Amino acid sequence: MLTADSAAASCSPRQLRVQQFEDVGAKAYLSPVVFKGYVKSRTPVDAHGLYEASFLILKPLKGFTHPQPKKRRRRLQFETPSSSNSGVACRQGVVAALEVNATYLVFAERASQHQFRPLAPPLLATKRHEDAVEGLLGPTFKIKYPTVTLQNVTVGTKLKLKLTCHYDGNPLPLIEWYKRGRRIEPTKRTKIVNRKRRSVLTIARVSDKDAGWYECKAVSVTEVIACASAHVTVNNEHGPVFPPPKFKQPTFQPPTRFGENTTLNPSHNPYESSLCPVDSYCLNGGTCLFYEVVGELVCKCAEGYKGKRCENKDFYNRGSINSRQAI
C-alpha cells in the first residue's frame, strides 16, 4: 500500500494519485494515456538506478487522437527496484521491474507530442486486466459511486482483531482506515489486505488501547467519499473496555387533553445535544452533534455539502442536516 510518507518529492501529484489506487480500472480512468505494449528491449541500469524500456504499442486504448501506425515504438524511463527504494512510489522515475519480451498495460501521460511519462508501474496484460480496462473505457461505462459497510466487533485481549469492510464501486475505490480521526498505516502488528471487494484490517495481540471507534473510508476516482464506522470492544479480566453506546427510547409527556399542545418532558429532551463521540464522523467541515436520548449522531453540513456524513456536494441547497442511528 502506497502511503504519503513513502512517496518521494520527485513524484508528480498525478503519479501519486494513480499509484494510490490498486484497481486497474481506476488507474486507467485517471491516466490520460493507456496502451498495451510489448517490451522489445531495455537499456542497462545507470548509476542513478534508471533505465529505459522500448515498447511496441500493440493496442492504443486511451489518449490517441489519431490512428497509430501498427507497432509504433515508444521509450519510457523507469527506476529499477532496490532495497533503498522499497515501498517508494518514485524518485528519479516510476519504480518498476520490467522484463524483455513481456506484454504490459501502460499508464502514462504525454510529456511532449511524441514522448510519454509513466504514471504507475505497468501491469502484465492478462485477460482479466484487459477486460477491466476495455470495459471501463467502453461506451457503456457508467460511474458507480462507492458504498461501504462495517460491523461492530468484540474481542478479547491478546487475541487477533479482524475488521472486515465490504465495499463496492466502479471503478473500485481507494480504501483508507482511520481510528479516532487518524489514518491507520500497516505495521508489523497491523495488516491491511484489500481483495474481492473486502478490506480486512487485522491487529495482532489486541490490548485495551485498541478499543474504540474505527472508520472505513472509500474514495472514488471522482473524489466522492463513502464511510462506515464501527466500535471495537476489548474484553479483559476486568470486563469490557469502552462499551459501545446503547440506543435509548425518548420519553415524551403526553398531552392532557386532545387538541392541546404536546410538550416534551424537560428532563428527557431529545433535542439537547452533546459533543460527538466520533471526531471524524462529519466530513467537509460539517459539525457533528450527539443526541444521547435518542442515540443519534447528527451532521450539520457546511454550505455546499449534503448527505448523512456531508460527503456529497450540493449544488442546489445551502446546507443540510442529516442523522443516523448510532451503532
Side-chain angles (χ1 to χ4, degrees):
M1 176 179 292
L2 178 64
T3 65
D5 293 336
S6 68
S10 62
C11 285
S12 70
R14 179 173 280 171
Q15 285 175 324
L16 293 179
R17 180 153 175 76
V18 173
Q19 293 189 51
Q20 281 182 319
F21 284 83
E22 297 179 6
D23 180 51
V24 61
K27 293 179 185 292
Y29 183 93
L30 294 169
S31 300
V33 175
V34 183
F35 65 87
K36 178 181 177 182
Y38 174 80
V39 179
K40 184 69 175 178
S41 62
R42 51 174 285 180
T43 63
V45 178
D46 65 16
H48 301 288
L50 302 176
Y51 69 93
E52 288 188 343
S54 179
F55 285 89
L56 295 179
I57 299 178
L58 303 179
K59 188 175 184 180
L61 295 170
K62 183 182 179 183
F64 294 83
T65 56
H66 302 289
Q68 299 294 310
K70 210 171 185 182
K71 297 187 177 180
R72 173 172 287 188
R73 183 172 296 191
R74 286 288 182 268
R75 297 174 73 89
L76 282 77
Q77 186 182 74
F78 298 91
E79 182 176 356
T80 189
S82 66
S83 57
S84 62
N85 62 22
S86 177
V88 173
C90 51
R91 286 181 177 169
Q92 304 297 323
V94 171
V95 178
L98 303 181
E99 297 182 2
V100 177
N101 299 327
T103 303
Y104 295 90
L105 293 177
V106 181
F107 310 96
E109 63 182 351
R110 289 187 181 273
S112 65
Q113 184 177 358
H114 301 293
Q115 291 184 335
F116 295 153
R117 180 187 298 113
L119 296 177
L123 298 176
L124 284 173
T126 63
K127 186 179 186 304
R128 180 172 64 88
H129 286 161
E130 287 190 65
D131 290 345
V133 172
E134 291 179 356
L136 183 136
L137 300 178
T140 60
F141 168 74
K142 291 184 179 180
I143 285 281
K144 182 180 179 181
Y145 293 127
T147 59
V148 288
T149 58
L150 191 61
Q151 300 295 325
N152 292 347
V153 171
T154 299
V155 65
T157 55
K158 298 183 180 180
L159 299 179
K160 181 186 292 186
L161 166 64
K162 181 182 288 188
L163 278 170
T164 301
C165 176
H166 296 268
Y167 62 92
D168 200 2
N170 189 26
L172 289 178
L174 168 69
I175 300 298
E176 299 173 341
W177 285 89
Y178 291 84
K179 182 186 179 187
R180 298 172 185 170
R182 294 185 178 182
R183 176 96 176 257
I184 299 175
E185 304 290 357
T187 63
K188 289 183 178 180
R189 196 171 73 95
T190 303
K191 307 296 181 185
I192 298 175
V193 177
N194 300 328
R195 188 169 180 266
K196 294 184 177 180
R197 291 174 168 79
R198 290 183 300 176
S199 180
V200 180
L201 170 66
T202 305
I203 301 177
R205 294 187 62 81
V206 170
S207 64
D208 292 353
K209 68 179 182 180
D210 295 314
W213 285 96
Y214 288 76
E215 182 178 59
C216 177
K217 180 189 291 186
V219 184
S220 76
V221 291
T222 55
E223 299 187 357
V224 174
I225 298 173
C227 301
S229 298
H231 193 279
V232 171
T233 301
V234 175
N235 285 330
N236 57 26
E237 62 271 17
H238 304 294
V241 180
F242 304 133
K246 295 181 179 179
F247 177 78
K248 298 181 181 180
Q249 290 286 352
T251 302
F252 295 93
Q253 180 181 355
T256 57
R257 208 179 277 177
F258 181 79
E260 293 183 355
N261 292 332
T262 302
T263 59
L264 298 176
N265 187 332
S267 63
H268 296 87
N269 186 358
Y271 298 102
E272 291 180 357
S273 62
S274 60
L275 294 178
C276 183
V278 186
D279 295 337
S280 61
Y281 181 71
C282 297
L283 307 171
N284 299 310
T287 302
C288 180
L289 300 173
F290 179 58
Y291 288 79
E292 184 176 2
V293 174
V294 295
E296 288 185 355
L297 298 176
V298 177
C299 284
K300 183 176 182 181
C301 298
E303 182 176 342
Y305 292 93
K306 65 179 181 178
K308 290 183 179 180
R309 309 284 300 281
C310 306
E311 69 273 19
N312 298 322
K313 290 185 178 180
D314 187 358
F315 298 101
Y316 302 99
N317 299 318
R318 299 179 63 85
S320 61
I321 298 179
N322 293 280
S323 66
R324 76 171 180 91
Q325 180 180 320
I327 297 176

